[in-house]
Amino acid sequence: MGLFTSNKRLQETFKESIRLVSGYATENLLIDKAKGLFRLKDEEKALVFEASNFVSFRILEDDALLFESAGNDLKCYKSHIPERVKSMSAEISQIVIQRQMYEQMERMERER
């Protein structure tokens, strides 16, 4: 019970600035970048950790480093995914159009 009581101060000051969603788990990593705080669940009463609680960690996106920490430092790196998506916009649009056409053909076939 003492841990939850002592963690209340951090919970009250925590302001989410970054949310990382894992495609493999239902849990999120919420970050208060300004204060160097982390929360592992999307619940107000979840434990909040200071950067000093972590020895180190790395978060990758398609093998590219997004976040890393060694002690009290949190380093953030630019994601190149938005640029890659923009460069593929023509192909993505083509796939969307093809899917719409396929779904329309399927609807028409069912209505026969």
Side-chain angles (χ1 to χ4, degrees), residues 43-103:
E43 299 173 11
E44 287 186 25
K45 294 187 179 189
L47 289 174
V48 174
F49 301 95
E50 295 177 306
S52 62
N53 295 128
F54 292 96
V55 174
S56 67
F57 71 89
R58 298 177 75 195
I59 299 174
L60 304 174
E61 176 182 65
D62 291 346
D63 296 327
L65 191 57
L66 276 185
F67 299 96
E68 72 177 331
S69 175
N72 290 329
D73 294 331
L74 174 63
K75 295 178 183 175
C76 305
Y77 300 92
K78 181 181 177 186
S79 171
H80 298 286
I81 297 298
E83 294 165 5
R84 287 177 49 202
V85 169
K86 283 181 185 175
S87 71
M88 297 171 54
S89 65
E91 292 91 347
I92 293 170
S93 295
Q94 183 68 29
I95 291 169
V96 169
I97 291 169
Q98 288 174 347
R99 181 177 178 141
Q100 289 171 344
M101 290 174 60
Y102 171 79
E103 289 172 352

Side-chain angles (χ1 to χ4, degrees), residues 2-60:
L3 174 64
F4 291 101
T5 304
S6 64
N7 197 258
K8 190 164 181 67
R9 178 186 58 82
L10 294 176
Q11 291 171 346
E12 291 171 351
T13 61
F14 186 87
K15 299 265 189 283
E16 177 187 338
S17 57
I18 300 171
R19 174 182 298 251
L20 300 172
V21 179
S22 171
Y24 301 105
T26 58
E27 302 297 335
N28 299 324
L29 174 64
L30 295 96
I31 301 172
D32 181 338
K33 187 176 174 183
K35 296 182 193 88
L37 302 174
F38 300 84
R39 190 167 70 198
L40 299 174
K41 289 188 176 187
D42 191 10
E43 299 173 11
E44 287 186 25
K45 294 187 179 189
L47 289 174
V48 174
F49 301 95
E50 295 177 306
S52 62
N53 295 128
F54 292 96
V55 174
S56 67
F57 71 89
R58 298 177 75 195
I59 299 174
L60 304 174

